[in-house]
Amino acid sequence: MNQDETIEILMATYNGEEYISEQIDSIIDQTYKNWKLLIRDDDSKDRTLEILKEYEKRDERINVLRDNKGNLGFLKNCEFY
């Protein structure tokens, strides 16, 4: 892989506050640094969205996608891109 290529990572979340930081930290800690993380939260009822917004503020490669579609369920949430 060419080190100049940007990799886009797609993440769908729902009520994942317990593990979301570990998942995102794992991506950040990779040796390959030329990536973008696009995340759509499926209307979580816990602190998932708050955590995502904190990461988005700290790292410009992380982008939380916003829409008014509400809870779409697993399959539709994965079709956001």
Side-chain angles (χ1 to χ4, degrees):
M1 172 175 297
N2 181 339
Q3 291 294 318
D4 294 329
E5 282 185 69
T6 300
I7 301 295
E8 289 188 342
I9 304 162
L10 309 177
M11 180 183 285
T13 61
Y14 179 73
N15 289 345
E17 73 177 325
E18 187 173 347
Y19 300 106
I20 195 66
S21 292
E22 183 179 345
Q23 292 172 319
I24 295 174
D25 287 341
S26 175
I27 293 168
I28 291 171
D29 291 341
Q30 297 296 309
T31 56
Y32 191 85
K33 299 297 182 188
N34 197 11
W35 51 263
K36 280 177 95 169
L37 176 58
L38 306 173
I39 308 168
R40 183 188 182 274
D41 182 71
D42 200 23
D43 202 24
S44 289
K45 305 303 181 204
D46 63 4
R47 291 188 59 250
T48 301
L49 190 55
E50 292 174 46
I51 295 166
L52 295 176
K53 289 177 182 178
E54 290 171 16
Y55 274 96
E56 184 178 43
K57 287 179 189 175
R58 291 188 301 203
D59 194 316
E60 65 183 15
R61 299 172 296 178
I62 298 172
N63 189 349
V64 179
L65 304 175
R66 291 161 174 84
D67 60 42
N68 295 320
K69 296 179 182 177
N71 183 274
L72 300 175
F74 173 73
L75 290 177
K76 292 289 182 187
N77 193 33
C78 292
E79 294 175 357
F80 66 84
Y81 187 68

